[in-house]
Amino acid sequence: MTALPASTPKKLGLAIDLDICVGCHACVINCKEWNTSNYGAPLGDQDAYGANPVGTFLNRIHTFEVKAPEQPAQTVHFPKSCLHCEDAPCVTVCPTGASYKRAEDGIVLVNESDCIGCGLCAWACPYGARELDAQEGVMKKCTLCVDRIYNENLPEEDREPACVRTCPANARHFGDFADPESNVSKMSAERGGLVLMEDQDTKPVNRYLPPRPKADIQTDGDIDILAPFLEPVADTPKGLLGWLDKALEAI
Amino acid sequence: MHPAPSVIIFTCISGLGFGLLTFLGLNFPDVSGWTAFWFFFIAFGLAVGGLVSSTFHLGNPQRAWKAFSQWRTSWLSREGVFAVLALMVMGLYALLVIFFDTKIAPLGWLGAALSLITAICTSMIYGQMKTVPRWNMSSTPVLYVMYSLAGGALLAGQMTAALVLIVFLTGFQIYAWMQGDKRFDEAGHTIESATGLGNLGKVRLLESPHSGENYLTKEMIHKIGRKHAMKLRIISALFLGVLPIFVMTFMEVHHIGAAVLVISHMIGLFISRWLFFAEAEHVVGLYYDKR
Ligand code: SF4
Ligand code: SF4
Ligand code: SF4
């Protein structure tokens, strides 16, 4: 049913740290690897080795440059995957009931055997989190690795989304936003987690932790701001070096 | 948005078909026997042909019947349900008119109402999209219904009604184009608001997630042809309204004249519907620094 649950006891989602992400795309690759070989239709590629490769991805990293006047520009890597919205417009537009939001944990999923591939849900998502697979003609989206997080066949430490598990910088965190004491809730409260495109009224669950303000270091015209902190090395040489130093000075 | 031919054909001709059915249900023109057969034949051909064409852009059309299930929340589903109801009621009405020479007026009115509701549902598939500010305004349903009725009146040979409707439609279409031009900026969407990074400074895309295209950029970010939008609007308005209005006001319209009117109006309609898609900008484009 494409009616949304009034509320969900759990709100599983991601806290993504824009200050930490280094834009390595490891999460993109691991997401694709896990999701192409597990639940549902594989994530197809077309012309993979040709001139115009295209393919289905559930997680993509954009890289932005932010420039304030009189300041050096700042690079912000921006991972983007489904935000598992509470008021998910992608679910309510679906004519077949293939798109749904789970009442128990709020994960937004597509039942592929009901999906007709009309693409309407992808139009309704403001974040570009849904992609129609050209091979299978069904809608693909982030499942929050629903087949990992509850999977008792996996070792405990692997029971989190593939992107979170793989991130070498620890920029992605998985947890329950309905629980104010959870890791993600605390992190988001502390850092003022961003709600993406709030004006679209989708009430996303995922939060983006904004880049921390850059330290405003006064350099007094000295380009190398660290040099003054270095201990001077070998101020007065001793031994052989000392003799050499004196000898050379004498010439 | 990508102007997919199947969707343009679907919205145009099924709109005309249901417009004609609306007039036939209201007993305009008052026909029976073979004449009625041909009117209903054209109406059903357009309405059904459009619906069939709409399945061509589906990834899995063999499951299309499942789309009738979610009428509680989905305008697309509602459209399917009302289309089938309208076709069934008008089918029964047509059978009685053609073969039994019986007109049950209330049945025709019901069919007319259902046909009109179908046109509204079609318009709301687009009108509901908050992600596409140019579509997300009250003029979208008004426009679709006016297109449906004006074309329907023309096909039904109701020249006075057609003249009045086409005058209003042309004026309203020009107004909607102008309103639409302002919508994206009025909605306040910028790359800064989309990324939430505006408080840190001016934002631009440094590197796209991938070097090529993807489903999103192909489907939602369509820029080709937009540079000719102004010319196309003028051409559309000429064919859609100006020419038919001129002919209807100053000339005696016979059979061939009527065919020319219909064809001219349809050319204008197809161009304006192409623009409806091609000019629409989806907010996801902001993440790609494109609109
Ligand atoms: S991010 Fe997009 S696909 Fe995911 S729940 Fe929200 S609207 Fe739906
Ligand atoms: S593409 Fe599939 S999931 Fe999306 S709205 Fe259409 S039927 Fe529903
Ligand atoms: S793996 Fe982590 S650091 Fe690398 S792009 Fe993904 S979120 Fe950023």
Side-chain angles (χ1 to χ4, degrees):
Chain A
M1 224 346 138
T2 51
L4 291 163
S7 71
T8 56
K10 278 181 167 184
K11 293 179 193 172
L12 298 185
L14 303 176
I16 297 174
D17 196 333
L18 298 178
D19 203 37
I20 302 277
C21 174
V22 294
C24 67
H25 291 237
C27 53
V28 177
I29 303 307
N30 202 28
C31 165
K32 178 118 175 175
E33 196 283 326
W34 177 265
N35 286 294
T36 203
S37 41
N38 288 283
Y39 164 78
L43 304 173
D45 293 315
Q46 287 77 43
D47 198 19
Y49 300 99
N52 294 305
V54 277
T56 310
F57 286 81
L58 311 182
N59 177 29
R60 295 188 184 265
I61 315 297
H62 300 237
T63 298
F64 296 104
E65 180 195 82
V66 190
K67 174 91 175 74
E70 312 293 322
Q71 295 283 321
Q74 179 181 352
T75 307
V76 179
H77 302 287
F78 207 105
K80 217 149 51 55
S81 51
C82 172
L83 293 89
H84 298 278
C85 306
E86 283 178 55
D87 264 340
C90 56
V91 169
T92 48
V93 298
C94 176
T96 62
S99 276
Y100 63 105
K101 183 171 175 73
R102 303 206 327 167
E104 60 269 41
D105 53 16
I107 299 180
V108 175
L109 292 176
V110 176
N111 175 357
E112 291 173 6
S113 56
D114 278 353
C115 173
I116 55 173
C118 66
L120 209 57
C121 54
W123 288 7
C125 171
Y127 312 104
R130 288 176 169 243
E131 300 189 13
L132 190 71
D133 188 78
Q135 204 75 41
E136 300 282 337
V138 294
M139 195 52 75
K140 301 297 296 184
K141 68 175 294 299
C142 159
T143 64
L144 211 60
C145 287
V146 69
D147 47 356
R148 289 176 66 98
I149 56 179
Y150 298 112
N151 191 338
E152 310 223 318
N153 297 321
L154 295 177
E156 175 112 41
E157 65 269 27
D158 283 336
R159 289 181 214 158
E160 56 181 13
C163 59
V164 175
R165 185 75 182 107
T166 208
C167 177
N170 211 20
R172 307 177 73 110
H173 305 271
F174 165 67
D176 178 9
F177 283 92
D179 172 9
E181 292 306 308
S182 71
N183 58 339
V184 286
S185 295
K186 282 196 200 146
M187 231 178 271
S188 174
E190 205 176 291
R191 296 272 302 279
L194 287 173
V195 176
L196 223 53
M197 282 202 189
E198 205 165 6
D199 45 9
Q200 287 277 329
D201 299 324
T202 52
K203 298 214 210 107
V205 169
N206 285 10
R207 289 290 185 271
Y208 283 82
L209 310 181
R212 292 184 176 87
K214 294 282 172 239
D216 193 15
I217 300 164
Q218 297 302 323
T219 59
D220 292 332
D222 196 347
I223 297 284
D224 191 349
I225 54 169
L226 292 178
F229 297 101
L230 293 174
E231 278 289 323
V233 190
D235 216 2
T236 43
K238 291 185 195 85
L240 179 65
L241 269 182
W243 175 83
L244 246 180
D245 187 42
K246 273 186 213 138
L248 286 169
E249 212 122 318
I251 299 173
Chain B
M1 304 293 289
H2 171 66
S6 60
V7 178
I8 294 174
I9 293 171
F10 148 59
T11 59
C12 288
I13 74 170
S14 80
L16 289 175
F18 284 110
L20 177 53
L21 282 178
T22 308
F23 279 92
L24 293 175
L26 298 174
N27 203 23
F28 295 112
D30 187 357
V31 282
S32 59
W34 276 105
T35 327
F37 172 83
W38 286 113
F39 271 109
F40 282 107
F41 181 81
I42 293 171
F44 279 102
L46 291 170
V48 176
L51 294 177
V52 170
S53 146
S54 76
T55 62
F56 290 159
H57 84 287
L58 299 181
N60 280 287
Q62 77 283 6
R63 300 197 270 262
W65 59 273
K66 294 196 181 197
F68 295 117
S69 65
Q70 304 302 310
W71 48 271
R72 282 192 200 81
T73 61
S74 164
W75 283 105
L76 180 53
S77 187
R78 284 173 201 158
E79 195 228 13
V81 171
F82 278 106
V84 168
L85 288 177
L87 291 175
M88 283 189 333
V89 171
M90 285 309 289
L92 183 63
Y93 180 77
L95 271 182
L96 293 172
V97 171
I98 297 167
F99 298 107
F100 300 96
D101 206 11
T102 328
K103 276 199 178 131
I104 306 176
L107 192 65
W109 299 339
L110 177 66
L114 289 168
S115 301
L116 209 56
I117 294 173
T118 308
I120 295 173
C121 291
T122 308
S123 72
M124 285 309 291
I125 297 173
Y126 308 102
Q128 70 176 331
M129 288 289 163
K130 222 175 174 170
T131 49
V132 184
R134 188 186 278 278
W135 291 350
N136 188 228
M137 48 182 190
S138 47
S139 59
T140 300
V142 179
L143 204 57
Y144 267 69
V145 168
M146 286 178 85
Y147 267 112
S148 190
L149 288 179
L154 209 53
L155 289 170
Q158 304 301 303
M159 288 308 161
T160 321
L163 180 61
V164 175
L165 282 163
I166 288 179
V167 168
F168 275 107
L169 169 66
T170 311
F172 195 76
Q173 172 65 84
I174 293 168
Y175 164 79
W177 278 328
M178 283 160 42
Q179 286 299 305
D181 288 344
K182 292 186 258 168
R183 279 291 292 170
F184 204 97
D185 294 328
E186 271 174 8
H189 302 302
T190 60
I191 187 170
E192 282 82 16
S193 71
T195 55
L197 297 172
N199 60 328
L200 295 177
K202 187 112 194 56
V203 181
R204 73 179 180 107
L205 186 71
L206 192 60
E207 268 186 289
S208 168
H210 41 82
S211 49
E213 293 278 310
N214 68 21
Y215 169 74
L216 300 165
T217 58
K218 286 194 208 172
E219 180 76 7
M220 328 273 186
I221 308 169
H222 176 91
K223 299 175 92 169
I224 315 155
R226 249 191 230 157
K227 62 172 191 271
H228 297 304
M230 226 357 143
K231 285 180 204 151
L232 287 170
R233 282 182 187 180
I234 294 169
I235 296 170
S236 169
L238 284 176
F239 279 102
L240 177 76
V242 179
L243 187 68
I245 292 168
F246 182 82
V247 172
M248 280 190 279
T249 328
F250 297 110
M251 290 178 195
E252 197 72 38
V253 181
H254 297 294
H255 280 307
I256 296 173
V260 171
L261 276 183
V262 169
I263 289 168
S264 162
H265 180 76
M266 279 176 74
I267 292 172
L269 164 63
F270 277 108
I271 298 174
S272 94
R273 199 53 54 82
W274 186 87
L275 285 167
F276 180 77
F277 288 95
E279 285 197 284
E281 301 159 315
H282 194 288
V283 293
V284 77
L286 296 170
Y287 292 110
Y288 291 85
D289 221 345
K290 291 176 184 163
R291 267 171 59 175

